[in-house]
Amino acid sequence: VLMAIRLARTIPGPEAVKRWRKQMKFSQHEAALVLGVNKKTIGNWENGRAPISRMALLAMSAVVNGLPTYDKQ
């Protein structure tokens, strides 16, 4: 949890998003599915065309830490 708070305080640059995706061995499509965004958003983050949201950063941290996904069912 502390890592998630620290990650959310410092917004990483585009290279960090791509590094996270590669570390997790996700394609852009897979990363988009996991984070609940579309593939174009992932590309925009990685190319610096759009800032990454704090919620997406928290989701990335949750994936790294192996937290279970949320299912509304």
Side-chain angles (χ1 to χ4, degrees), residues 4 7-8 11-12 17 20 31-32 34-37 41-42 45 51-64:
L7 182 62
I11 306 297
V17 176
W20 168 83
V34 167
L35 297 177
V37 299
T41 300
I42 299 293
W45 290 342
I52 186 168
S53 70
R54 288 179 185 252
M55 290 305 290
L57 289 172
L58 289 172
M60 289 168 63
S61 179
V63 171
V64 167

Side-chain angles (χ1 to χ4, degrees), residues 3-4 10 12 21 24-26 40 45 56 58 60-61 68 71:
M3 181 179 173
T10 59
R21 181 174 63 79
M24 300 307 299
K25 297 184 169 98
F26 290 150
K40 186 175 179 179
W45 290 342
L58 289 172
M60 289 168 63
S61 179
D71 188 356

Side-chain angles (χ1 to χ4, degrees), residues 27 39 44:
S27 66
K39 181 181 169 186
N44 286 340

Side-chain angles (χ1 to χ4, degrees), residues 6-8 24-25 27 29 33 46 69:
R6 208 174 310 137
L7 182 62
M24 300 307 299
K25 297 184 169 98
S27 66
H29 177 74
L33 289 174
E46 290 183 0
T69 59

